[in-house]
Amino acid sequence: MSGGRLYDGFVPGRFPIDAYGNGGFRFADMSHRGSILVLPSGVRAWPIDAITELTTESLAPIFAEGDALELLLLGTGADIAAIPERFRLRFREARIGLDVMQTGAAARTYNILLAENRRVGAALIAVP
């Protein structure tokens, strides 16, 4: 599946991010062009190209994880970007910690926390 997209947009399981850049990510011996959600339930395609495209619907898979998720790392692309307060409030209400950072930093931090078996997820906007 090298160079392709996620099969049906979802791969079950927890996988480290092997590489990022050139508009996509490598994980689980696959590559995916575009943004991804890396959650305890699996990795899925995420139709977001910029932080300004965040919607309640685009965040729904994150909140569907329930207690399996204690922290989400939000990779906002090449630059750090603020997310609207209404979304920050939604994370607080769901009792999911939120860390916003550049996508590269989010991918690296995710790998470290995954190796520590933490209940972590990442929403990663692809970078060129």
Side-chain angles (χ1 to χ4, degrees):
M1 185 167 280
S2 183
R5 296 184 70 74
L6 293 172
Y7 179 73
D8 285 339
F10 181 74
V11 176
R14 296 183 69 181
F15 304 99
I17 305 300
D18 298 321
Y20 60 89
N22 297 319
F25 299 88
R26 288 196 51 76
F27 56 91
D29 295 325
M30 289 184 265
S31 64
H32 172 75
R33 293 200 49 80
S35 303
I36 57 174
L37 285 177
V38 187
L39 301 170
S41 61
V43 182
R44 69 182 71 236
W46 196 37
I48 300 291
D49 294 319
I51 201 74
T52 55
E53 297 176 12
L54 280 183
T55 64
T56 301
E57 294 77 25
S58 68
L59 296 173
I62 296 164
F63 299 114
E65 294 288 310
D67 290 340
L69 188 62
E70 69 179 350
L71 173 64
L72 183 86
L73 305 168
L74 178 56
T76 58
D79 298 311
I80 296 175
I83 70 164
E85 184 58 32
R86 71 181 185 276
F87 294 130
R88 288 187 175 278
L89 179 60
R90 179 69 180 94
F91 278 91
R92 280 194 297 273
E93 289 170 349
R95 299 188 189 280
I96 297 172
L98 177 65
D99 257 343
V100 179
M101 59 191 77
Q102 294 171 311
T103 292
R108 290 187 301 272
T109 304
Y110 171 80
N111 286 345
I112 291 167
L113 296 176
L114 178 66
E116 294 175 354
N117 205 28
R118 297 273 305 274
R119 294 180 297 151
V120 64
L124 304 171
I125 295 175
V127 293

